[in-house]
Amino acid sequence: MYGAVIYGAGDVRYEERAYPSIQQPTDAVVRTVAACVCGSDLWRYRDIADVPQPTPIGHEYIGVVEEVGGAVTSVKPGDFVIGGFTTSDNTCPACRKGVHTSCVNRTGYDGCQAEYIRVANADGTLLATPEEPADDLIPSLLTLSDVMCTGWHGAVSANIGPGVTAVIVGDGAVGLCATLAARQLGAERVISLSRHAPRQAIARDFGATDIIPERGEECIARIKEMTEGIGADCVVECVGTEQARKTAVDAARPGGSIGLLGVPHGDLPVDQLFWENKHLAGGVAPVRQYLPELLDLVWNRKIEPGKVFDLELPLSEVAEAYRAMDERRAIKAMLRP
């Protein structure tokens, strides 16, 4: 089979790899129907994170079960399935508390930008769709492997609910999905920080009521103009840079809530959080916790998060998918084997 392997900064290759096999009775092998490039994949592509050796890459996928280990009972060959970006057994104490990304038996993947993948902890990781989905549902179903559940986690972590004003810091796929989540959870006003017209259009489509293109002090001044001079009730930070994190803290009102989603780089103004009674939560999204509810919304066409995919390529052109996202020519690239 073939899949993507990252060799270093700017160097992703499509090459032959070993076909995955059942290694434990709790494993499944899935034939990939669609995969994609994540913004977090770009940390290695941009030489911000190390690549010590050639490494299969990718952690988002949907597909069809090819075979299962002897202990797997929840899915069977032929099922169309979605899995989160980490595996989890869904039975350990952490999973029972809804924090599947801290499962005591969690694992990653040996690269999901591939024709086939091995999924450990298959019973606790994979969720089957009611039947084989229509092709136009594929993009939205694929977002449930990461970005839609991650955006939802940020909105939940920021305590977004009916009637609040929310600010979304970041207009990538996760930020756009957080915008959609904010509206679904009842936010009355959703302010998207974006200066890119195509992304602004999707944010509006997902429910943003206001767009702010400014950055820094001008951005915070605009937010305060809209919020009685004190800031937003809820803020979701979807970038991870020190500047984005500072913007999120500045944008929240005293006593407000901030949901952090961006992979953290740099410091947080802890003293400001303390003296202004600002609440902070978030982290790595427990996809399996949100997957049943969000699958129902997508399956019944109540939300369409798949609009974040503005580029579709064959898996063999994975290098171009990375280039397009790195150069911001694409919001998110979908790959089909």
Side-chain angles (χ1 to χ4, degrees):
M1 71 141 191
Y2 284 81
V5 177
I6 187 166
Y7 278 74
D11 187 4
V12 172
R13 307 178 194 179
Y14 176 74
E15 59 185 37
E16 191 167 6
R17 295 180 48 211
Y19 183 91
S21 60
I22 300 293
Q23 298 179 21
Q24 301 292 334
T26 50
D27 290 351
V29 172
V30 172
R31 173 176 58 82
T32 308
V33 170
C36 53
V37 179
C38 182
S40 64
D41 294 332
L42 296 179
W43 292 109
R44 285 184 280 178
Y45 189 79
R46 291 170 172 165
D47 202 23
I48 298 171
D50 290 336
V51 183
Q53 61 187 23
T55 307
I57 192 168
H59 54 262
E60 300 163 276
Y61 65 94
I62 53 176
V64 176
V65 176
E66 289 284 297
E67 53 183 318
V68 298
V72 177
T73 60
S74 66
V75 295
K76 62 186 183 303
D79 283 350
F80 191 99
V81 292
I82 305 163
F85 56 81
T86 62
T87 79
S88 56
D89 62 22
N90 206 27
T91 60
C92 82
C95 288
R96 294 199 305 272
K97 298 293 186 182
V99 193
H100 295 72
T101 44
S102 295
C103 174
V104 299
N105 293 308
R106 72 187 181 277
T107 73
Y109 298 95
D110 190 25
C112 294
Q113 293 160 12
E115 293 177 318
Y116 295 87
I117 59 174
R118 170 181 165 258
V119 181
N121 298 310
D123 271 339
T125 301
L126 298 173
L127 186 65
T129 59
E131 57 189 48
E132 184 176 351
D135 192 68
D136 69 324
L137 279 178
I138 293 298
S140 289
L141 293 172
L142 181 56
T143 68
L144 303 185
S145 191
D146 186 346
V147 289
M148 185 59 217
C149 289
T150 295
W152 193 272
H153 181 56
V156 169
S157 297
N159 291 320
I160 294 177
V164 305
T165 293
V167 167
I168 312 299
V169 181
D171 62 357
V174 169
L176 293 170
C177 287
T179 300
L180 179 57
R183 289 296 281 180
Q184 283 291 311
L185 290 169
E188 180 176 327
R189 193 171 197 179
V190 180
I191 303 167
S192 173
L193 308 190
S194 175
R195 46 189 175 179
H196 304 277
R199 298 168 189 240
Q200 292 173 354
I202 296 175
R204 291 278 192 192
D205 192 34
F206 281 0
T209 55
D210 303 272
I211 304 289
I212 294 179
E214 290 86 358
R215 292 291 182 265
E217 293 181 3
E218 291 183 29
C219 172
I220 300 304
R222 287 281 309 279
I223 291 169
K224 289 188 175 181
E225 286 173 7
M226 299 175 176
T227 56
E228 300 181 284
I230 61 171
D233 303 304
C234 310
V235 182
V236 186
E237 190 280 302
C238 309
V239 182
T241 63
E242 185 168 328
Q243 181 58 51
R245 288 147 67 88
K246 182 179 186 305
T247 296
V249 174
D250 289 344
R253 66 166 171 80
S257 297
I258 302 161
L260 293 181
L261 294 180
V263 177
H265 293 75
D267 293 329
L268 271 168
V270 177
D271 286 355
Q272 182 181 353
L273 289 166
F274 177 83
W275 290 110
E276 297 180 359
N277 282 288
K278 296 181 181 182
H279 304 262
L280 190 68
V284 187
V287 169
R288 191 61 180 80
Q289 170 73 0
Y290 304 121
L291 198 48
E293 179 180 3
L294 296 182
L295 174 58
D296 181 71
L297 290 173
V298 166
W299 193 262
N300 290 297
R301 300 180 183 273
K302 295 179 180 178
I303 60 173
E304 192 180 352
K307 290 179 180 179
V308 298
F309 290 107
D310 56 348
L311 177 64
E312 181 179 332
L313 293 169
L315 180 60
S316 59
E317 296 182 27
V318 62
E320 169 57 19
Y322 274 82
R323 283 192 295 269
M325 287 185 61
D326 179 50
E327 297 167 5
R328 296 184 71 85
R329 291 184 283 112
I331 300 170
K332 193 166 179 67
M334 183 168 69
L335 300 164
R336 299 238 199 183

